[in-house]
Amino acid sequence: MSNHRRSRVRRRRASALFGIAAVLFGTAATIAGPTTAASASQDTIGKASKSATIARTHLLRGSDIEVDSRDVTVSVSQTLNLRDRQAISVTWKGAHPTGGVVADTNSSYAAQQEYPVVVVQCRGLDSPSAPVKVSPDTCWTSDAEERAKSSATFLWPPYRIDRYAAAADRQQVVGVPNPIPAACAPIVAGAQHWIPFRAANGTVYGGGIVDAATGLPCAGSAPEAGGGTTTSPSNTTYGVTYPDGTGNVSFVINTVDSNASLGCTREVACSLVVIPIMGISCDATASSMPVADRPASAEDRAAADKLCQKTGYYAPGSTTDNAIDVEDLSVSGQLWWSASNWRNRMSFPLSFAQASNVCDLVSSSAPEFVYGSQALVPATQQWGPAFCLNPKLFKFQHVQFSEPGSRNLLTSGSIKAAFTAAPPDEPFPTPVVQAPVAVSGFAIGMRLDGADGKEVFKANMTPRLLAKLLTNSYNGLVGVQTSYPALKNNPLDIVADPEFRAINPGMMTTKNAYNGLPASTLYAMSSDSDVMQAVTSYINADPDARKWLDGEADPWGMVVNPSYEKIALPVNSWPQSDTFVLDSVSSVSCFASTRLPWFPLVNAPVANPATVTLNMQYGLSNSQIVCKDAGQPNQKLVAVGKVPPGRRALFGLISVADAQRYQIPTVSLLSHVDANAASKFTSTSGRYFVAPTQAGMKAAMDLAKPDKTLGTWPIPYKELREAKGKAAYPGTLLMSMAVPTQGLPATEAERYAKMIRIITTTGQVPGLSNGQLAPGFLPITPANGLANFTAYSAKAAAAIEQQKGFVPAVDGSDPKPSPTPTPAPTYSPTPIPTPTYGGDGGSSNSGGEQIPTTGPTQTPAPSQSAAPTPTPEPSQSTILTKPVGSTTALKPPAGTNAVPALIAIALISGVASLALAWRRPS
Amino acid sequence: MTVTTNGASSPTEPSVTTTASTVDQGAETVATATPGRKPKKARPAMSVGRGFVFSAVASVAALSVWFLFYAFILTPFEEARSQTVNYGTLRESLALQTAPIGGVITPGTPIVLIDSKPLGLNGVVVVEGTASGDLMNGPGHLRNTVLPGQMGTSVIMGRASMFGGPFGKLSEAKVGDSLSVTTGQGVFTYTVESVRKAKSPLPQPLDAGKGRLTLITAIGEGKLGAWKPTGLMYVDAKLMGDAQQYPPGKPYVVTASELPLQGDPSALLPLALALPLLIGAVLFALWARSRWGTWQAWLVGVPLVLACVWAVSQAAVQLLPNLL
């Protein structure tokens, strides 16, 4: 008994100590919280750089002859937190200059360049201990020619006398499946070297020679491979090194989402492999090889040596002459896999961001939905996992939807929250607070090549030029010019427009043979959008553009398309007003029977703004004017598709954040015109153009004034055009989260309030990790002069939480003292536990409450107790001594009485029937 | 019974004839309950109303007795046959290494072999699925749990009394009894760690990487408890040694009819199809009796009616709780 009491006392004492420890620990964590938040700016980008000395050394008569040696340094802009389809930039210096340059460095044709720098994405790591090592087998290429070489007559092509190749790789036939697949022509003579592709699921695609009938390699290729027609364009890049030894490419990362065969995920390691092609190091003597793999005759040896030691058909920096098979194979990109080139590789391990569907995998609990702006997707993709992976928080889902539509749904009570990118047209009829959550902007994305055929990364545009593109005032085709009298004197396209040429020197001319049709329109979305509202507000605020829209010719004599003359702006969605029918195309059978208005086909607006981004990333023109299967019953109009690099002029309306993620060049927009600037200008002098940078957005937000009626800070387009807006980016957008302050259930109100608090505090730390602010957004912080936004968001969160119908005034002029002095948000960031995939630990909670077979499934995992929570989790051993509940009693369903009931029925009816029969004789 | 010769029924009393033959039909199975009658002696006919009531009540009695007979005497044969067939299938798939080890497995597929002397399980083949129909073939594996031998808790349910009552001896399980389980991933040994009924303490949460097997069946109170279950009993066994990984893709939820003590309402459809067949068979037998003669009708009718009544019973028994 006394023992018992003593132990109880001891236990109580221990628990008191435990409690004190907990309090201390909690305090420490609270104090440490802000510090860790501040110091949490660890590297989330992972810039990387590698250098190596690489050489081409032939083995001649037993001695090494070094013919070329270079010190190459390769830098990669980002290797961490990569997302699907994201573009990263790879730059290098010191490489051998490229000859026979082709325009599209992603095409298989580009492999024929001499001395390119090959950039490929490979599964595996370049380390001896890695479970999967990078090898040409695991590197992704799209086209069969990139991994199979054959020599029909001459038996000693350069890859057979590669001194660094293993003996097995120097045989006459390498990599050809045995037996050879039926689809392949049997090999009777000549040398073959095939590189199979080993997919993530273990399937091996043999590749091989392309079958002319199907266009596919005869031994099979991965489903993602192909000519870039049905699949997304290949990311294998044959980069061009300029004569000074430098070069750069923008490389598109593919995760498992867009390339399942390559299969890169957070769990499946992948590398970026950069191979500066130096040429094959030759060994024609092959004295260490078996006799069969040695050129036997002196003539063979001499011919092989000659072929292998070639140093290039093209001069460095020259462009291809489009002749077939003139390049020197031994120094071309086609032999990237040969040992001589492969050994010069530089590998950069890649690590990927949380997959976009991680929240669906983590929990099936109902998320809080927020409808609205597509321009905010890069941000919510990073914020989302921070919520759903944190067991103390909840899951929220951003439903991409048109912003004006979202506001309508919010007013009608169909949805609870909306991300908007512009002020409402008129004040909300119900109490709705708009908390600023992000500052970003729209961008005019471009794929533009200069007169020299190289891509242009900086271009300027005035609102009038935007208006010209939007109103279809360019002809696009000569056929339109001759048959549309109103546009007779207008330029064919923007590149030919003297206004555009005045502020953008070095543009293409008709000599470049560029396609003017894509350059005559602005690719945009068809849905209602705050982005279109912003673009048209910007155009409307410019006196020159407005005058031109009202019918006044520009100084060069160009007039507005009469269908859009005097159009009232701003608008939420751009109308397709022009009904001109191009008769000259009626010979094309798609147009023969129907009289389709021409310009809407050229504009081809798309429902989802993300499609515009995709098209801009790959330089695809969406103009639906190509007649596919002409004359067939299934004929249809399809998009123009990829515009050949070197001759591109495409513009699309995208978001700044998307432009950053996918490395789409953007246009600088006109912000201010000096009073004395020439109206018929020939240069940018007196005109100010601002690129979508953080500084430009900050300058724009500095000018934004609160509008009490609309409850937000509208972008002051008039002031931006004035001198004080010189440095302000006119495309800046203030993204807000609109939530009602009346009528929400308490739990949801609390969640939305929490969401705003987290997004506007830790969510504004720039970075690429979960919960951080994606690139392309201006952090809403006091440091950026946006303290009043932060303060208003805190007030908004409090108003949402209270649900008393109170909307705090944006200008701080609340009638009564703020209902609750809102303390600084006390959210302290907790480390996000890594989700455990593929297992629920065997808990059978999903089977319904009737299966009480296991203990409570929400037992705290020890790995999560690292969070600085005020109450420390009890250790595993304490759990073990605690009862975890008891088996619940199941109320037996009615069916369990069936057997006794049946017996009773049998007895009663048996007796009854007996009785009935028994009494009969008497 | 007035009508003893074929086709000799008097045209003046057709209704009596019909009634009498119905009675006859009902009497077939209750004949043992009414011994000592002298059938040769002519009996006066029952009144129409009384005859109708008698035949109805007697039919109900006969059907109930048949059903009980089926449920407790015949179903073990059905189960034994399924076990033999499934054992062969499982043996083959284990030998070919095609035995399913995860993902979505078609219900009814034999997947596991359990051996445990103390629990009265001697080479019992477990099938996938725990709906009433699946458990006719032996114990069933709850589809949204892992398979035995894998990380986490695996649940297997079995009937207590009908269809051989494979889990009928589960109540005799004691802590420490051992079970041997064979799956496509190997042979695993489990040791019983707790035997639970309602309100018993739950077992401790599983450590990561460990496995547990929970066997569930129905129990009732008293000697005949198995006939009228009042609750469930659980036998938890822990996996000795390390558990195997399991492939992803197992179902997240199962239908209500797969939960313990639930019937399977989807059996109403086969029941609705079998019942008219039974009625048709009876009518056919009656017709045959009047056309061909009594013995001919018996010869043809009995197997036909028996087959139909068997089909009806098989469907009807699925409506009963699955662990019965």
Side-chain angles (χ1 to χ4, degrees), chain A residues 82-239:
Chain A
L82 293 164
R83 284 169 194 274
D84 190 36
R85 269 180 52 220
Q86 170 176 7
I88 59 173
S89 124
V90 180
T91 55
W92 60 88
K93 60 183 185 197
H96 191 298
T98 305
V101 173
V102 304
D104 186 355
T105 55
N106 288 120
S107 64
S108 62
Y109 189 43
Q112 297 174 9
Q113 296 174 125
E114 291 172 343
Y115 301 105
V117 171
V118 183
V119 189
V120 281
Q121 195 180 344
C122 307
R123 191 174 59 260
L125 295 173
D126 216 345
S127 112
S129 60
V132 180
K133 294 173 197 55
V134 289
S135 80
D137 293 6
T138 63
C139 290
W140 177 256
T141 61
S142 184
D143 289 283
E145 303 87 48
E146 293 169 283
R147 20 189 3 119
K149 284 309 315 171
S150 62
S151 170
T153 48
F154 187 57
L155 281 180
W156 309 102
Y159 45 88
R160 262 199 94 184
I161 52 171
D162 182 341
R163 65 175 290 192
Y164 294 114
D169 288 339
R170 292 177 64 168
Q171 292 172 359
Q172 188 178 343
V173 175
V174 178
V176 177
N178 189 16
I180 189 162
C184 299
I187 293 166
V188 286
Q192 298 272 349
H193 196 124
W194 299 3
I195 308 289
F197 176 70
R198 194 163 295 130
N201 60 6
T203 314
V204 177
Y205 298 101
I209 309 302
V210 172
D211 180 16
T214 60
L216 295 170
C218 65
S221 60
E224 292 86 354
T229 46
T230 55
T231 53
S232 67
S234 166
N235 66 353
T236 310
T237 308
Y238 299 89

Side-chain angles (χ1 to χ4, degrees), chain A residues 549-730:
Chain A
L549 279 171
D550 289 338
E552 194 177 297
D554 78 355
W556 297 270
M558 179 169 173
V559 293
V560 66
N561 181 328
S563 320
Y564 291 97
E565 197 174 327
K566 298 200 165 62
I567 182 173
L569 298 180
V571 292
N572 275 334
S573 77
W574 188 258
Q576 300 296 327
S577 312
D578 195 298
T579 54
F580 164 74
V581 177
L582 185 58
D583 286 324
S584 61
V585 293
S586 61
S587 56
V588 179
S589 60
C590 284
F591 295 96
S593 50
T594 50
R595 289 176 58 78
L596 292 170
W598 175 252
F599 281 117
L601 293 175
V602 173
N603 301 339
V606 293
N608 187 352
T611 313
V612 181
T613 311
L614 181 79
N615 288 340
M616 292 312 298
Q617 185 184 5
Y618 292 115
L620 309 174
S621 159
N622 194 41
S623 295
Q624 307 281 319
I625 54 161
V626 174
C627 190
K628 193 175 174 226
D629 298 323
Q632 306 294 319
N634 58 340
Q635 67 176 19
K636 60 176 177 186
L637 288 170
V638 295
V640 169
K642 185 149 185 159
V643 182
R647 294 182 284 171
R648 292 172 299 182
L650 293 121
F651 298 92
L653 181 54
I654 60 175
S655 74
V656 173
D658 277 346
Q660 293 236 342
R661 178 183 285 182
Y662 301 113
Q663 292 205 343
I664 303 170
T666 53
V667 164
S668 299
L669 293 174
L670 177 78
S671 61
H672 173 65
V673 182
D674 281 345
N676 54 358
S679 66
K680 187 171 180 173
F681 45 93
T682 52
S683 71
T684 56
S685 82
R687 285 178 160 73
Y688 298 87
F689 296 91
V690 184
T693 57
Q694 302 247 323
M697 294 194 272
K698 183 177 176 308
M701 289 323 293
D702 284 346
L703 292 175
K705 295 274 176 302
D707 181 325
K708 200 179 166 190
T709 350
L710 295 178
T712 183
W713 286 260
I715 306 293
Y717 292 100
K718 280 263 177 317
E719 283 83 8
L720 292 188
R721 184 66 165 69
E722 291 165 12
K724 55 186 169 185
K726 249 182 221 177
Y729 179 64

Side-chain angles (χ1 to χ4, degrees), chain A residues 839 846 852 885 887 897 913-914, chain B residues 34 54 199-200 202 228 246 252:
Chain A
S846 51
T887 310
N897 295 320
S913 59
L914 279 184
Chain B
T34 57
F54 170 75
K199 304 205 173 68
S200 308
L202 285 170
K228 188 198 172 303
Y246 65 90
Y252 204 72

